[in-house]
């Protein structure tokens, strides 16, 4: 199936069998490996990208459902929220192994884009679907608040 | 005066940028021309034989290159020394559910996985052993691992001392089968070039993977290179090769293409290890004033039927945490039809403390002695197991610091008396303990004509912050900023490093790096005074002093040279030096110690348990890298919340199949489960075991959490619970 979508601002044509997850297109066809595979069933959040500005799980999103859509990945996310998140993440030592962090950052940026001063509950809710087995959660909470003050 | 640490103190993680930009490369990100993909089909049964296997549909599926079964795969030489022997695809015997019965190679991962699902098999089914109860009858005494990890121990007359003590407790606990569950599944890629192979493996021990792969594949060690840039979480399930690692390399040779495979999430519950379930009985005798008279600690741990080597040494803490002259311990392994268990953060002590420290807590209420005071009365004056002195022992300071920082004095002594609105509140604590471990390691330090300084060792970064800590070690020794240090790791051709497990890396590889940098300085001084072009030519090497990367003559400061110039004049334009660390027997011992203080809130109507406050106090030597050490500590404590309240792999008692083999129903902590956590590192520098003065951190930090939470639940509710994980039903029941 032919699908035309924008990936990190670049118009991209994809020809993939119906139902092919966006994640496989990103990683295997386009060589964009920043978005990670963790579970394949929308249970870990490692594959989080922005689809038309909202966080979504690339592992369960068929690429053919994205005709005309705009997708942003960790490689392309930019703007004041992304800059603030990356700076806070680095200073507060959020990543440990780092494997879940592309997804964490995409969820955190999406949260800050709609809520400039999230409290603990808003953070817990927005980040609930992003597992981190290294358990960087406490620093994620602090770094999101820190990032909010930097924007 | 003790101070809480703050995460903003200390240098940033050196690979931080890569990890916030998607630029850090993990094994599954390996892209090779003409890459093929492997997926394994798994056994539907847990015990029996494959009678017939049908691969025709898979072979005809789109994109499929080859299918291998035990009938068609040329067998490998069993290399020995692995976490699990290579039984899969070697013979028709099935030892556990989801054991690989076929390997499918295809052009894409999706094609390989789809074709693997088309493989069917007929089996001769045996009744599997699926519970500890069923396995107990065939339990056996495991082989000794090392001087400390022995199946039994006995000092004094433990049974007699317990029986004659005025206060006694006889207490049995159970801990669950648990999974490491890294978000990055175990992953391998392999590519051959003639009779040489490169293996990319998500790996905590690339040197061992290189050695074992060479034996299994029948090629010399120098023909095997194992690489890994970053490991996406490990916690024990990536220590060296698993069968899938070796099979992937084997298959790459057979199909003549580079191949890649990642275990499915389901396969992570059978084919990459687990923490085995244990049942432990502990009997303790005390005097009326709370001094330990005797401890008998017996542990039964879940083993596999096909590989007798792993034992959870759960009775260990009873040997060396508290002062007691009469101690007997025993370990048995009960074989079940499950995959091979392996070490998981935090093995042995991490499991055994749940028995010892909940028993002590219970007895403290009976004696009317504060739980911390009870522990303060039982601090061992020496290592009684080996009968040698401690090199350092900050155990009392740990408890005092914890009490002060947590506000322990405000805690009511009686259980079930604290409330906040409708919630029951409880405050509890437990000790944290692991051995202070270190082992042989080598590192190389070098400087080139541009003045670039590199330290190199074949360790790997699993998230613990090793590149940062090694940069700090080298930078401090040289008096240079850490940005000047380049760290090379993740390549088995570098100087050999031990497993990144058992919390050995800082003491071992860190010390090797320190020794290498010192040797590099010696070498630079020696070469400079002998180099015709050097302003220091002809000087006495002893009169050369180091100021960062500048060498200055101590009597004539105008005579100076730089690392870069000395290297530029040297043959090959670079200077190298090696550091080799081998721990000495010093005649004393030390431990990585700590204590966890926890506040829980229990909703008495629905039984919901919430950890609302947590403090960890640790005496773990000199802290080299404050940020990454602190992250290890908080991560380990949250790991302990999972152990205490969530994590359990359920095997179907009839089929021995894992029934909750996914993140959907095998719970791990998430954002909302995590309270504010404070960390105190006590000043505990101990240069006896290694020149850095560091100690093991990564595991001790999680060890006391589960008993501390159970003790806090008792304080809140008056319910003494003896099973992990603790669930709402248990609190209500
Ligand atoms: S890989 Fe998409 S949510 Fe886990
Ligand atoms: S940083 Fe390792 S899983 Fe999140």
């Amino acid at each position: 199936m032919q699908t035309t979508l924008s990936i990190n601002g670049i118009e991209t044509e994809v020809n993939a069998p119906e139902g092919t997850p966006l994640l496989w297109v990103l990683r295997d066809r386009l060589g964009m490996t920043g978005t990670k595979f963790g579970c394949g069933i929308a249970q870990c959040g490692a594959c989080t990208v922005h689809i038309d500005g909202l966080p979504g799980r690339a592992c369960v999103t068929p690429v053919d459902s994205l005709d005309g859509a705009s997708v942003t990945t960790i490689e392309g996310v930019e703007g004041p929220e992304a800059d603030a998140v990356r700076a806070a993440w680095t200073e507060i030592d959020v990543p440990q192994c780092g494997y879940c962090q592309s997804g964490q950052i995409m969820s955190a940026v999406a949260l800050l884009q709609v809520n400039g001063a999230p409290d603990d509950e808003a953070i817990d809710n927005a980040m609930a679907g992003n597992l981190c087995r290294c358990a960087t959660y406490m620093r994620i909470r602090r770094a999101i608040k820190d990032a909010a003050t930097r924007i | 005066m003790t101070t809480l640490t703050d995460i903003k103190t200390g240098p940033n993680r050196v690979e931080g940028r890569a990890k916030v930009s998607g630029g850090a490369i993990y094994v599954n990100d390996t892209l090779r021309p003409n890459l093929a993909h492997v997926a394994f089909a798994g056994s539907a049964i847990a015990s029996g034989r494959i009678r017939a296997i049908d691969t025709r549909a898979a072979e005809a599926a789109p994109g499929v290159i080859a299918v291998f079964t035990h009938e068609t795969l040329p067998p490998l030489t069993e290399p020995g020394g692995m976490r699990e022997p290579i039984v899969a695809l070697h013979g028709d015997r099935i030892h556990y559910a989801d054991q690989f019965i076929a390997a499918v190679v295809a052009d894409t991962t999706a094609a390989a996985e789809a074709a693997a699902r088309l493989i069917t098999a007929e089996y001769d089914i045996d009744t599997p052993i699926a519970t500890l109860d069923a396995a107990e009858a065939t339990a056996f005494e495991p082989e000794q691992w090392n001087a400390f990890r022995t199946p039994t121990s006995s000092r004094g007359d433990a049974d007699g001392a317990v029986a004659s003590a005025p206060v006694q407790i006889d207490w049995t606990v159970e801990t669950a089968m648990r999974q490491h569950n890294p978000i990055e599944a175990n992953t391998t890629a392999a590519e051959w070039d003639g009779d040489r192979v490169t293996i990319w493996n998500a790996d905590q021990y690339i040197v061992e993977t290189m050695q074992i792969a060479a034996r299994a594949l029948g090629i010399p060690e120098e023909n095997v290179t194992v690489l890994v840039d970053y490991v996406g979480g490990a916690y024990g399930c990536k220590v060296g090769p698993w069968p899938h690692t070796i099979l992937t390399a084997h298959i790459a040779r057979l199909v003549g293409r580079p191949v890649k495979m990642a275990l499915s999430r389901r396969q992570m519950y059978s084919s990459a290890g687990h923490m085995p379930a244990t049942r432990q009985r502990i009997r303790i005798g005390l005097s009326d004033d709370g001094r330990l008279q005797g401890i008998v600690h017996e542990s039964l741990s879940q083993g596999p039927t096909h590989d007798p080597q792993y034992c959870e040494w759960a009775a260990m803490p009873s040997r060396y945490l508290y002062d007691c002259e009469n101690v007997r311990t025993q370990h048995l392994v009960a074989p079940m039809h499950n995959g091979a268990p392996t070490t998981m953060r935090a093995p042995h002590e991490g499991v055994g403390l749940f028995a010892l420290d909940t028993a002590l807590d219970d007895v403290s209420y009976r004696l009317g002695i504060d739980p911390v005071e009870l522990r303060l009365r039982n601090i061992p004056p020496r290592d009684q197991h080996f009968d040698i002195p401690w090199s350092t022992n900050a155990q009392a300071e740990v408890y005092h610091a914890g009490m002060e920082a947590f506000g322990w004095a405000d805690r009511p002594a009686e259980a079930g008396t604290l409330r906040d609105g409708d919630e029951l509140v409880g405050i509890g604590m437990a000790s944290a303990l692991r051995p202070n471990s270190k082992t042989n390691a080598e590192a190389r330090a070098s400087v080139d004509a541009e003045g670039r300084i590199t330290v190199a060792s074949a360790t790997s970064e699993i998230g613990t912050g090793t590149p940062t800590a090694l940069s700090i070690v080298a930078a401090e020794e040289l008096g240079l900023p850490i940005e000047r240090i380049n760290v090379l790791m993740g390549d088995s051709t570098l100087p050999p490093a031990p497993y990144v497990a058992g919390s050995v890396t800082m003491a071992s590889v860190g010390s090797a790096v320190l020794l290498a940098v010192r040797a590099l300085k010696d070498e630079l001084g020696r070469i400079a005074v002998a180099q015709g072009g050097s302003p220091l030519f002809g000087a006495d090497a002893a009169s050369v002093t180091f100021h960062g990367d500048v060498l200055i003559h101590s009597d004539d400061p105008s005579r100076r040279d730089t690392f870069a110039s000395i290297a530029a004049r040297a043959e090959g334009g670079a200077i190298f030096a090696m550091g080799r660390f081998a721990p000495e027997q010093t005649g004393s011992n030390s431990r990585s110690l700590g204590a966890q203080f926890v506040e829980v809130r229990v909703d008495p109507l629905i039984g919901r348990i919430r950890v609302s406050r947590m403090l960890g106090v640790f005496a773990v030597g000199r802290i080299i890298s404050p940020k990454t050490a602190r992250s290890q500590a908080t991560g380990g404590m949250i790991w302990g919340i999972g152990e205490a309240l969530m994590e359990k792999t359920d095997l179907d008692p009839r089929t021995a199949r894992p029934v909750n083999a996914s993140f959907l129903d095998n719970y791990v902590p998430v954002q909302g489960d995590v309270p504010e956590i404070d960390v105190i590192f006590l000043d505990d520098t101990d240069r006896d075991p290694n020149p850095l003065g560091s100690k093991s951190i990564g595991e001790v930090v999680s060890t006391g959490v589960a008993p501390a939470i159970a003790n806090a639940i008792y304080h809140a509710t008056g319910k003494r619970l003896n099973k992990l994980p603790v669930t709402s039903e248990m609190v209500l029941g």
Side-chain angles (χ1 to χ4, degrees):
Chain A
M1 268 187 88
Q2 188 83 8
T3 309
T4 306
L5 70 166
S6 155
I7 299 177
N8 296 333
I10 298 168
E11 184 147 307
T12 310
E13 295 211 351
V14 179
N15 200 343
E18 193 177 338
T20 302
L22 170 64
L23 184 61
W24 297 129
V25 173
L26 290 173
R27 290 181 53 84
D28 291 350
R29 295 202 181 202
L30 304 175
M32 296 169 62
T33 56
T35 308
K36 300 302 181 199
F37 174 83
C39 68
I41 54 164
Q43 289 299 316
C44 77
C47 65
T48 305
V49 296
H50 295 176
I51 300 168
D52 291 330
L54 294 175
R57 306 287 187 244
C59 70
V60 293
T61 306
V63 74
D64 45 88
S65 72
L66 296 175
D67 206 38
S70 167
V71 170
T72 305
T73 72
I74 185 71
E75 289 96 343
V77 68
E78 56 187 24
E81 291 85 6
D83 292 345
V85 163
R86 286 197 171 106
W89 245 242
T90 306
E91 191 187 356
I92 291 172
D93 194 45
V94 174
Q96 284 187 253
C97 82
Y99 195 80
C100 72
Q101 294 297 334
S102 298
Q104 305 285 0
I105 287 171
M106 295 308 283
S107 291
V109 170
L111 168 65
L112 288 168
Q113 283 171 346
V114 297
N115 182 346
D119 59 10
D120 285 356
E121 198 184 338
I123 292 171
D124 288 353
N125 289 336
M127 306 303 291
N130 287 88
L131 300 185
C132 176
R133 197 58 171 141
C134 297
T136 60
Y137 300 119
M138 215 179 77
R139 299 192 300 285
I140 287 174
R141 194 183 293 141
R142 178 151 167 203
I144 289 175
K145 290 182 180 174
D146 190 278
T149 67
R150 292 176 194 239
I151 296 167
Chain B
M1 171 66 195
T2 53
T3 43
L4 300 174
T5 58
D6 183 84
I7 194 61
K8 290 197 175 182
T9 307
N12 288 341
R13 191 176 278 265
V14 296
E15 79 284 12
R17 187 73 214 167
K19 287 180 174 174
V20 298
S21 63
I25 298 295
Y26 303 82
V27 171
N28 210 350
D29 305 334
T30 309
L31 300 168
R32 308 297 300 170
N34 204 28
L35 185 67
H37 300 259
V38 173
F40 292 106
S43 166
I45 67 162
S47 176
R49 287 184 190 281
I50 305 169
R51 186 161 6 106
I53 183 160
D54 186 347
T55 59
R56 283 169 300 181
E59 275 158 20
V64 171
I65 298 162
V67 178
F68 297 102
T69 68
H70 66 285
E71 289 166 342
T72 58
L73 185 82
L76 289 158
T77 310
E78 170 55 44
M82 290 173 65
R83 261 26 78 183
E84 180 187 9
I86 305 177
V87 293
L89 300 177
H90 285 68
D92 60 359
R93 190 94 184 86
I94 298 295
H95 304 271
Y96 55 91
D98 298 323
Q99 179 184 321
F100 309 148
I101 59 167
V104 178
V105 193
D107 286 329
T108 64
T109 313
E113 286 173 357
R117 283 193 289 271
L118 299 175
I119 289 170
T120 56
E122 292 169 29
Y123 304 91
D124 293 325
I125 306 176
D126 296 335
T127 305
I129 305 169
T131 63
L132 266 187
D133 285 338
E136 196 167 358
T138 52
F140 61 91
E141 192 170 280
E143 275 174 35
Q144 157 169 2
W145 267 17
N146 58 32
F148 187 43
R149 307 289 189 198
T150 55
T152 59
S153 74
S154 181
R155 63 174 184 250
D157 171 17
D159 295 84
V162 172
S164 60
V167 182
Q168 295 172 29
I169 176 166
D170 185 343
W171 178 235
T172 298
V173 304
E174 288 177 20
T175 65
M177 175 181 180
R178 293 164 66 206
Q179 305 302 139
H180 308 73
N181 252 331
I183 310 296
E184 177 205 46
N186 288 49
T187 307
T188 305
E191 180 169 6
W192 288 80
D193 178 8
D195 62 352
R196 309 179 66 85
V197 65
T198 302
I199 300 172
W200 292 263
N201 197 39
D203 203 328
Q204 298 172 257
Y205 198 3
I206 56 175
V207 174
E208 188 189 66
T209 297
M210 177 271 290
Q211 294 165 339
I212 289 178
R215 293 204 294 274
L217 298 165
I219 54 176
E221 287 186 2
E222 54 270 24
N223 286 18
V224 182
T225 303
V226 181
L227 301 175
V228 60
D229 283 358
Y230 294 104
V231 180
Y235 326 108
C237 71
K238 295 174 179 169
V239 184
W242 286 93
H244 66 258
T245 316
I246 306 297
L247 289 168
T248 300
H250 187 37
I251 288 167
R253 179 159 60 177
L254 294 171
V255 299
R257 279 173 71 166
V259 301
K260 186 165 82 174
M261 85 88 232
L263 290 185
S264 68
R265 186 52 58 182
R266 178 163 186 92
Q267 287 165 342
M268 289 299 291
Y269 291 75
S270 59
S271 304
H274 58 266
M275 173 176 272
T278 71
R279 180 186 301 144
Q280 304 168 52
R281 181 180 181 201
I282 190 165
R283 283 170 288 154
I284 301 177
L286 302 97
S287 64
D288 288 319
D289 62 350
R291 310 219 182 242
L292 289 165
Q293 306 295 302
I295 307 176
V296 178
H297 193 161
E298 296 159 311
S299 172
L300 179 73
S301 78
Q302 167 195 12
T305 57
H306 64 300
D307 176 19
Q309 57 178 327
Y310 188 80
C311 173
E312 199 67 40
W313 303 106
M316 287 292 159
S318 293
R319 295 184 185 175
Y320 72 124
L321 179 54
Y322 298 119
D323 180 11
C324 187
E325 296 291 355
N326 303 296
V327 174
R328 183 170 71 74
T329 61
Q330 182 193 52
H331 300 88
L332 293 174
V333 173
M336 291 167 48
H337 288 98
N338 44 240
T342 195
T343 45
M344 174 168 150
R345 189 191 202 188
H348 319 314
E349 288 80 2
V351 177
L353 277 170
F354 183 64
L356 177 60
D357 258 41
T358 54
L360 269 196
D361 194 72
D362 195 63
V363 93
S364 75
Y365 286 89
R366 264 203 270 154
L367 286 166
I369 299 174
D370 177 88
V372 187
E373 173 57 28
L374 184 64
R375 288 167 175 81
L376 282 165
R377 288 185 193 179
N378 288 287
I379 291 178
R382 64 183 197 291
D383 182 340
Q384 291 160 312
H385 181 72
F386 288 113
D387 199 17
I388 52 176
W390 301 122
S391 57
T392 57
N393 184 15
Q395 195 166 356
E397 290 90 316
V398 163
Y399 300 136
H400 285 297
M403 283 197 287
E404 186 193 321
F406 207 67
W408 187 262
D410 300 334
R411 168 187 180 272
E414 210 179 315
T417 52
L418 265 184
R419 271 185 174 260
D420 182 8
D422 292 338
E423 285 184 319
L424 309 175
V425 180
I427 294 171
M429 60 80 62
S431 301
L433 171 73
R434 281 281 289 162
N436 176 26
S437 307
K438 63 268 171 198
T439 185
N440 293 357
E442 297 186 17
R444 186 176 65 218
S446 62
V447 59
D448 68 11
E450 273 80 55
R452 271 191 300 255
I453 298 155
T454 302
V455 294
S457 183
T459 183
S460 52
E461 161 61 2
I462 62 172
T464 52
T466 303
T468 311
L470 297 183
S471 298
I472 292 171
V473 168
E476 281 183 356
E477 182 63 18
L478 291 167
L480 290 168
I482 69 164
E483 297 74 33
R484 289 289 309 278
I485 312 296
N486 178 31
V487 176
L488 281 184
M489 319 183 348
D491 179 338
S492 65
T493 63
L494 297 173
Y499 40 86
V500 194
S503 311
V504 303
T505 297
M506 202 59 245
S508 313
V509 184
S511 293
V513 163
L514 180 69
L515 297 175
V517 170
R518 285 181 183 164
L520 181 68
K521 286 167 73 177
D522 287 349
E523 192 70 359
L524 281 158
R526 204 182 52 73
I527 291 175
V529 298
Q531 258 181 347
S534 171
L536 295 167
F537 178 67
D540 179 359
S543 62
V544 174
T545 55
F546 286 78
H547 300 261
D549 60 354
V550 182
L551 288 69
I552 302 179
H553 195 289
S554 45
D555 301 331
D556 178 3
S558 70
R559 292 177 69 187
R560 53 179 62 199
D561 205 347
T562 65
F563 285 14
S565 312
I566 300 167
R569 286 189 294 265
E571 202 183 314
I575 292 171
F576 297 88
M578 289 295 296
R580 294 187 178 84
F581 174 71
E584 291 166 30
Q585 293 303 335
T586 57
S588 66
N589 216 346
S590 71
R591 305 169 289 177
S592 282
L593 282 171
Q596 319 275 7
F597 291 77
V598 174
E599 178 188 273
V600 299
R601 278 150 200 273
V602 179
D603 181 329
L605 283 179
I606 56 170
R608 189 187 59 195
I609 306 157
R610 204 157 53 81
V611 178
S612 48
R613 207 155 64 86
M614 222 175 177
L615 166 72
V617 185
F618 304 107
V620 285
R622 186 163 80 91
I623 301 300
I624 308 292
S625 170
K627 282 195 179 187
T628 58
R630 191 179 193 283
S631 296
Q632 277 287 87
T634 54
M637 288 168 70
I638 296 166
W639 187 266
I641 295 177
E643 175 187 12
L645 300 176
M646 298 162 208
E647 295 170 24
K648 181 171 197 278
T649 298
D650 288 309
L651 297 181
D652 184 306
R654 288 171 304 115
T655 64
R657 284 179 66 78
V659 295
N660 56 345
S662 83
F663 286 132
L664 211 52
D665 41 17
N666 199 304
Y667 303 113
V668 296
V670 300
Q671 186 73 44
D673 297 321
V674 173
E676 277 309 300
I677 298 174
D678 286 319
V679 177
I680 292 173
F681 290 123
L682 294 182
D683 183 5
D684 180 46
T685 303
D686 181 357
R687 294 196 196 269
D688 207 9
N690 73 70
L692 282 177
S694 69
K695 283 187 186 174
S696 303
I697 297 182
E699 291 165 320
V700 67
V701 292
S702 80
T703 55
V705 176
I709 289 175
N711 294 343
I713 291 171
Y714 178 81
H715 189 242
T717 64
K719 285 211 168 73
R720 179 60 65 187
L721 302 171
N722 68 339
K723 278 198 181 78
L724 290 180
V726 173
T727 62
S728 301
E729 293 79 56
M730 294 180 201
V731 173
L732 291 174

